[in-house]
Amino acid sequence: MSSRTPLIAGNWKMNKTPSEGAELARALAAQVGTESAVQIVLCPPFTALASVSQAVDGTHLAVGAQNMHDKASGAFTGEVSAAMLRGLHVSHVILGHSERRSIFGEDDAFINRKVLAALEASLKPILCVGELLSEREAGRTNEVVRVQVEKGLAGVPAGKAEQVVIAYEPVWAIGTGKTATPAMAQEVHAFIRGLLSAQFGAETAGRIRILYGGSMKPDNADALLAEHDIDGGLIGGASLEAKGFIELVRSASRSLGG
Ligand code: PEP
């Protein structure tokens, strides 16, 4: 058990219209809207942020975006800024998801600018890192994760480091049904905590949440969340139905007792 408040975040990806999103958010709010031991963040697509924010207003549920641009405004067709997200009561933003890196070509320098812009706007970045299967098989997991963490967090002031959340998401486990074993995940989480400690000091590193992501489901969550350095989950597929997502919140709550 650690002193860090567990965090369960649902990454809805490109799913749910504004009304479908509000319906799911209301169902979640009815069941876990007063949960205070676990922080819960719903990350719908941009178009459902307003309706989801409204649906969770007055509850403990928080709302996150799945991406943003680092600039404040200007000629960036199709993009949104941190201030625009703040205007919709968004508190978190997923940055550097492997789908953004691989499909949309985002590199560590761009992701780093977004992390800094998010913090500047008082948005909490959920920085995603993780290796490809080929990189794991070549024994390069730590090297890949180290570069993504160090470049992603370059220039983050120590005073704001606790606002950052890291999500370790082995790319081969995302949406594939393959999960890292708890021991495999813990090994990388502990390695990441060491990197955070080198950059920000042990005390601050001890307060930063490191989530696991990659086919986390009710039947594997207890074992993953029991690991010392796994502080919650970034959930894709299993966040689209209220029942499974609520079970994950319950797992995180149980992990506090262990
Ligand atoms: C994700 O995309 O962040 C994710 C973890 O997806 P899934 O849970 O579906 O593997």
Side-chain angles (χ1 to χ4, degrees), residues 30-243:
Q31 300 255 13
V32 288
T34 56
E35 172 70 61
S36 55
V38 178
Q39 192 175 16
I40 304 165
V41 184
L42 311 181
C43 304
F46 290 137
T47 45
L49 284 171
S51 66
V52 169
S53 282
Q54 199 177 12
V56 302
D57 189 28
T59 76
H60 283 188
L61 303 188
V63 179
Q66 299 173 19
N67 186 29
M68 57 170 252
H69 198 273
D70 65 301
K71 298 290 186 296
S73 62
F76 301 101
T77 302
E79 295 289 329
V80 304
S81 72
M84 293 169 187
L85 297 177
R86 294 287 295 154
L88 291 172
H89 310 290
V90 168
S91 55
H92 292 70
V93 57
I94 298 171
L95 296 174
H97 191 278
S98 67
E99 287 150 19
R100 300 293 321 168
R101 293 177 190 263
S102 66
I103 304 171
F104 302 100
E106 295 192 8
D107 63 12
D108 288 314
F110 188 30
I111 293 162
N112 175 243
R113 292 199 299 277
K114 297 182 194 213
V115 167
L116 298 177
L119 289 170
E120 192 60 37
S122 299
L123 277 176
K124 296 177 179 64
I126 302 176
L127 172 65
C128 301
V129 301
E131 80 287 1
L132 304 171
L133 183 58
S134 57
E135 291 165 338
R136 175 164 281 270
E137 287 174 346
R140 295 184 53 230
T141 297
N142 284 3
E143 177 196 340
V144 168
V145 167
R146 182 182 60 73
V147 169
Q148 291 176 343
V149 170
E150 287 180 354
K151 291 193 172 175
L153 298 182
V156 169
K160 289 193 175 172
E162 283 178 43
Q163 304 302 310
V164 173
V165 177
I166 304 288
Y168 169 58
E169 301 206 302
V171 179
W172 48 271
I174 296 178
T176 59
K178 291 183 192 151
T179 324
T181 63
M184 279 160 81
Q186 166 60 25
E187 194 181 339
V188 182
H189 280 234
F191 175 71
I192 292 171
R193 190 144 346 255
L195 297 172
L196 298 173
S197 187
Q199 184 170 352
F200 302 115
E203 204 180 318
T204 298
R207 288 201 281 261
I208 297 176
R209 267 86 56 86
I210 307 176
L211 315 182
Y212 171 78
S215 300
M216 194 188 255
K217 303 215 160 35
D219 63 0
N220 59 29
D222 278 354
L224 286 159
L225 294 169
E227 295 291 340
H228 181 263
D229 288 292
I230 301 184
D231 306 316
L234 179 55
I235 321 294
S239 70
L240 296 174
E241 302 285 344
K243 188 169 174 287

